[in-house]
Amino acid sequence: MPASVSKLLRIILSACTLLTACQSPQTKIPTVPVHQPANGPTWWKEAVVYQIYPRSFKDSNGDGVGDLNGIISELDYIKSLGIDAVWLNPIYSSPNDDNGYDVSDYRGIMKDFGTMQDFDALLKGLHQRGIKLVMDLVVNHSSDEHEWFKKSRSSRTSPYRNYYHWWNAENGKPPYRYSLFDVNNDAWRYDSATNAYYLHYFSRKQPDLNWENPKLRHEVYDVMKFWADKGIDGFRLDAFQFAAKDTTWPAFPKGFEKHFNQYYGVQGNLHGYLQEMNKEVLSKYNIMSVAEGAGNTLEDGHNMVDADRHELNMAYAFDAVDQAKPEGYDLLKFKKTFTRWDSAFAQKGWLSIFLANHDQARLVSRFGNDSPQYRDVSSKMLTTFLMTMRGTPFYYYGDELGMTNIRFNNIKDYRDMSLMNQYQHLKQTGGNEADFIKQAQFGSRDNGRTPFQWNSSANAGFSSGTPWVKVNANYTTLNAAAQEKDPNSVLSYFKKVVQLRKANKVLVYGKYTLLDAANPKVYAYTREGNGKKLLVLLNFKSTPAMVNTGISLTNARLLMDNYSTPSSGSKLQPYEAAVYELR
């Protein structure tokens, strides 16, 4: 999705198992019960959401592209993870300029992925297993091959003209707008058919829809009803914080693109459109809604998700996920960011918790340590973090195995349209190609889109054909089949920590308190509610670390640790994660 390619799109940015599970993978997780707030509990707050990138999950027909039948064939694996909902990246009809985030028919299924009958079978199979389905709703923009746009560009008097944003060329060049995916970063594209420019915040083949037009809005609501009537369980609104525009097109100050979210995010009547969407669609179905992006301020976020606003259920905040850089990141800043957001939403509203998705490189490669020595243990530590914070965890496929960046050396191996356009711009402007490749090896979206590593057979068991993007060579040892047999694997740990969260609602609803805030190596906090209190200790570094929480562990009960021989007291091993029940 057009959201956060590592440099440009910032806003739209372990060797063991639980201590108690070392003897047997079936060991029951200790439970710490907690009463839910009277007005608070909902399924989507308590859910663990597993994101599937369908193109890369499982190919059923040998064409090298993952598909719906491939997902269906692995529903029992998905169920075994213990997750509650699947977020599926776009599967609508699309010419695939941006891997499905350029929709040409919102009621059709992309041929690469299958048919509507396949979708119906997938939805049924998920529901039979008690798993909900969240669909990606891409309505900030469509494909330029959508019938709406074809008709819009055909004539200035077309009834579909105002479904998109146009600027007539006789009025001169439109005020500059920055495009995140365009080769020249110009969001206005000249179209000779009607001697006018159309707006595209993303690629040239992704013209922005005109949400200021009520006819367009109701077209979208009808699309949402179509899928809601099929029985899906939620919508994730892609890039929707950009949907509303100031159509007087004021000039923006020079260099605004360095902070473009301040000029693009949550503008105009966005909240009015969300309230209308809620009234027309969301309030009429038992579905959840989540926005990509939470605006520019905490107030923006609250206005999107507070229940009394009647807009959406939750939102993503990109402040933390964008902090990872090739040179590393500052844990103190990381802690402050999560603490600030948690504090702001402690009493009202709800957010998601995530560190990876289809717009990011791999979790362990960005926020952990993917060297052979520390890959597993740091993967487990990061999973512990995501499952013990307040907010709904969104967890990306493959991260439950500790899948790593593929780090292509050759530009020809990359597939991401936005990165390829950046590369073309680099060549046009005489940039440094070696530096560009180095940055891509760390942050390219293709790192997070390589095929799921099912087993050690050819192509990691993903496809009998040639995969659309190369498989990471480490699949021979890093794969699901091997990890399912190993009670100490990253996968086994993931399943256990998911069950820990489910068994202890204090991890969902409990108060969060940061401890040892100035510690540059350790993230320590408590989760507390109704007399129950858990302590979480996370060493984010590859060296041993001391932690000073001011809390005695003498009578504490260790619920989970990612080392088979846990530390005792205040010294943590590299990337160690420990969860205690305090008594």
Side-chain angles (χ1 to χ4, degrees), residues 11 140 165 177 199 201 208-212 217 239-253 256 259-274 292-297 300-301 303-304 309 311:
I11 48 85
N140 171 73
H165 296 283
R177 291 295 183 267
L199 184 73
Y201 278 178
D208 281 34
L209 292 164
N210 181 7
W211 273 81
E212 284 61 48
R217 297 200 302 272
F240 196 77
Q241 64 173 345
F242 296 155
K245 276 86 171 174
D246 181 349
T247 54
T248 64
W249 307 117
F252 291 159
F256 82 91
H259 307 284
F260 66 87
N261 198 55
Q262 296 178 17
Y263 297 87
Y264 286 6
V266 192
Q267 302 298 309
N269 193 30
L270 186 77
H271 292 297
Y273 302 151
L274 286 172
E292 182 193 24
N296 295 302
T297 65
D300 283 343
N303 287 340
M304 280 187 182
R309 294 279 302 179
E311 295 188 21

Side-chain angles (χ1 to χ4, degrees), residues 19-54:
L19 174 67
T20 54
C22 285
Q23 295 82 15
S24 167
Q26 283 77 43
T27 303
K28 186 177 179 181
I29 294 293
T31 298
V32 181
V34 64
H35 296 298
Q36 299 171 348
N39 61 348
T42 62
W43 73 263
W44 45 265
K45 289 181 181 178
E46 299 178 11
V48 174
V49 182
Y50 183 68
Q51 181 187 352
I52 292 178
Y53 197 68

Side-chain angles (χ1 to χ4, degrees), residues 74-130:
E74 297 295 346
L75 285 178
D76 288 340
Y77 169 81
I78 296 169
K79 173 66 175 177
S80 76
L81 298 176
I83 57 90
D84 304 279
V86 164
W87 158 26
L88 198 60
N89 287 101
I91 56 172
Y92 315 106
S93 299
S94 167
N96 255 331
D97 183 58
D98 187 28
N99 283 8
Y101 281 91
D102 48 317
V103 180
S104 56
D105 180 1
Y106 289 100
R107 293 179 176 85
I109 300 294
M110 191 188 306
K111 291 181 181 179
D112 285 352
F113 293 150
T115 66
M116 188 61 77
Q117 290 70 32
D118 297 333
F119 172 81
D120 292 339
L122 172 61
L123 182 62
K124 181 179 179 180
L126 286 167
H127 284 173
Q128 286 175 339
R129 291 165 176 80

Side-chain angles (χ1 to χ4, degrees), residues 424-495:
Q424 291 302 319
H425 182 75
L426 179 94
K427 291 205 303 183
Q428 293 172 10
T429 56
N432 187 306
E433 184 171 342
D435 287 347
F436 182 86
I437 292 294
K438 184 177 180 181
Q439 290 287 334
Q441 288 175 333
F442 175 79
S444 168
R445 302 193 298 183
D446 284 327
N447 285 304
R449 298 177 177 184
T450 56
F452 189 89
Q453 295 166 205
W454 290 103
N455 53 50
S456 60
S457 67
N459 298 323
F462 163 72
S463 175
S464 60
T466 302
W468 72 277
V469 66
K470 288 184 177 180
V471 178
N472 196 315
N474 63 12
Y475 77 88
T476 56
T477 56
L478 198 170
N479 61 72
Q483 293 197 22
E484 285 183 314
K485 300 173 184 176
D486 180 2
N488 294 324
S489 68
V490 178
L491 177 60
S492 294
Y493 187 89
F494 172 82
K495 294 177 182 180

Side-chain angles (χ1 to χ4, degrees), residues 16-17 19 22 374 377 561-566 573-577:
C16 11
T17 188
L19 174 67
C22 285
Y374 293 121
V377 72
D561 197 289
N562 62 345
Y563 275 81
S564 56
T565 305
Q573 300 169 78
Y575 298 110
E576 186 168 6

Side-chain angles (χ1 to χ4, degrees), residues 48 334 338 352-356 363 379-396 399 494 497 501 507 525 527 538 540:
V48 174
F334 184 87
F338 276 103
S352 66
I353 293 292
F354 78 107
L355 286 176
L363 172 66
S379 292
K380 294 175 182 179
M381 182 275 293
L382 291 167
T383 294
T384 308
F385 169 71
L386 290 166
M387 296 299 166
T388 57
M389 287 289 286
R390 180 160 44 192
T392 300
F394 280 66
Y395 202 90
Y396 191 51
D399 285 341
F494 172 82
V497 77
R501 184 177 181 87
L507 292 174
Y525 49 92
R527 303 297 312 282
L538 306 167
F540 271 70

